[in-house]
Amino acid sequence: AVSKPGGLSEPIDDASLAGLVGVGLEDAAGLDQAIRAVDAGPNATSALRAAVVSAIADLRARFADVSIASDMTEGARQSVRLNGLLGIDRPEATAAEAKRLVALGFGCLKLKAGPEPVAKLVDRVAAVREAAGPAVELRVDFNGTLDMSIAAAMIEALARVQAPAMMASRRG
């Protein structure tokens, strides 16, 4: 079984499992066929497919003694810059958390945002900008909650405090 979000398990049907057994990690055609069998199985879900593809990538990399990224492409980054995450809170509390994250070494902070008055968001972002300093990159993530009619005003307001809005989750 494959773990799904929330700890529930997703059964792997016998046909999909049989398609995976005995396939060599260097057999690209066999691996593709096994993944197609999982996709066609009676319990086919994106979680099951992702689990199988992830397991194959992990095994290939382990046997080659390289990172998954290095196994998938030449010149892959060996590290990834992480965002410090700031939730939706009062400006003072968010600024205090920003200071703590910057002290831990985060050079980029991502603020969660939702449908809220522009002035309230700008106050919170401005407090974080002041606390974090000008060298720290700021991002604001609306998680696809903005209507396009409001997005332009938010983006313009955020530009004044140097925090680009992340709108990708709204795009198709």
Side-chain angles (χ1 to χ4, degrees):
V2 175
S3 259
K4 295 192 316 187
L8 303 173
S9 65
E10 182 74 35
I12 300 176
D13 61 276
D14 291 341
S16 296
L17 191 56
L20 292 168
V21 174
V23 178
L25 293 174
E26 299 304 320
D27 180 5
L31 291 172
D32 285 344
Q33 184 177 354
I35 292 168
R36 282 194 301 279
V38 168
D39 288 341
N43 297 321
T45 63
S46 58
L48 178 58
R49 184 182 207 287
V52 170
V53 170
S54 296
I56 290 169
D58 182 56
L59 285 170
R60 285 178 47 90
R62 285 176 190 256
F63 278 102
D65 198 28
V66 297
S67 70
I68 291 174
S70 295
D71 188 50
M72 295 176 90
T73 184
E74 283 189 37
R77 291 181 180 183
Q78 295 304 305
S79 64
V80 177
R81 189 173 182 192
L82 299 177
N83 297 314
L85 183 61
L86 298 168
I88 300 174
D89 204 339
R90 297 176 335 279
E92 310 80 41
T94 308
E97 179 65 3
K99 273 188 175 180
R100 187 184 77 79
L101 291 170
V102 169
L104 289 173
F106 286 96
C108 180
L109 301 175
K110 181 169 81 168
L111 291 84
K112 290 296 191 177
E116 57 189 293
V118 174
K120 186 174 180 180
L121 175 63
V122 169
D123 287 347
R124 187 161 44 95
V125 174
V128 168
R129 168 54 67 213
E130 185 176 328
V136 174
E137 183 179 347
L138 297 184
R139 298 177 182 165
V140 179
D141 186 354
F142 292 94
N143 291 314
T145 60
L146 290 185
D147 290 334
M148 293 310 289
S149 61
I150 298 174
M154 286 287 199
I155 291 169
E156 185 179 316
L158 291 172
R160 291 191 295 265
V161 288
Q162 302 173 357
M166 296 173 63
M167 300 297 295
S169 60
R170 183 55 124 178
R171 294 183 192 140

